[in-house]
């Protein structure tokens, strides 16, 4: 009787511990899983990518400029602030285009949008580190 009770408690505790893995949803993609991709309109995505090519390319270049500005010997905070403002303007332009095509909920996480706010980006002292503490290439788009 004791063996059965101990074995059943062990199984129950194991199931409880394993169930927390599924709390966020498949792939950890904000609980959306593959349905976020499966429900997209291909024509909307093509048009979005076509309309935002230059803005996305410019965003990549601005991220590289920002990293270089942080790694300079003499840090110029005015220059960093202007580059950050340009990055925010580019992200806003891209997300407005996404909203036009009905893709704002799918594109938002690519640009670090969480709960309607801009991502943290880089801060003084981080020197190329992202909020998760991982080094990342500024060439990666989506983020």
């Amino acid at each position: 009787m004791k063996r059965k009770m101990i074995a059943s408690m062990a199984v129950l505790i194991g199931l409880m511990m394993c169930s927390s893995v599924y709390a966020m949803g498949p792939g950890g993609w904000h609980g959306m899983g593959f349905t976020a991709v499966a429900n997209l309109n291909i024509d909307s995505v093509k048009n979005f990518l076509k309309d935002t090519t230059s803005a996305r390319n410019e965003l990549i270049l601005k991220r590289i400029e920002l990293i270089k500005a942080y790694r300079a010997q003499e840090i110029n905070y005015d220059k960093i602030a202007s580059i950050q403002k340009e990055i925010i303007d580019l992200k806003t332009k891209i997300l407005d285009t996404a909203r036009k095509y009905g893709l704002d909920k799918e594109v938002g996480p690519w640009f670090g949008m969480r709960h309607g706010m801009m991502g943290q980006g880089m801060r003084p002292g981080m020197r190329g580190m992202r909020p998760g503490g991982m080094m990342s290439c500024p060439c990666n788009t989506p983020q």
Side-chain angles (χ1 to χ4, degrees), residues 63-89:
R63 286 178 179 166
I64 293 170
E65 283 182 37
L66 184 62
I67 289 172
K68 286 186 176 186
Y70 271 116
R71 291 186 178 181
Q73 292 291 339
E74 297 282 329
I75 297 178
N76 183 353
Y77 290 107
D78 293 330
K79 181 179 179 182
I80 289 172
S82 68
I83 294 171
Q84 286 177 336
K85 183 186 180 309
E86 291 172 8
I87 287 174
I88 290 171
D89 292 341

Side-chain angles (χ1 to χ4, degrees), residues 113-129:
M113 299 285 289
R114 290 182 179 87
H115 306 294
M117 297 174 61
M118 286 288 176
Q120 296 298 316
M122 293 172 42
R123 295 181 293 276
M126 292 185 76
R127 301 237 180 223
M129 298 293 281

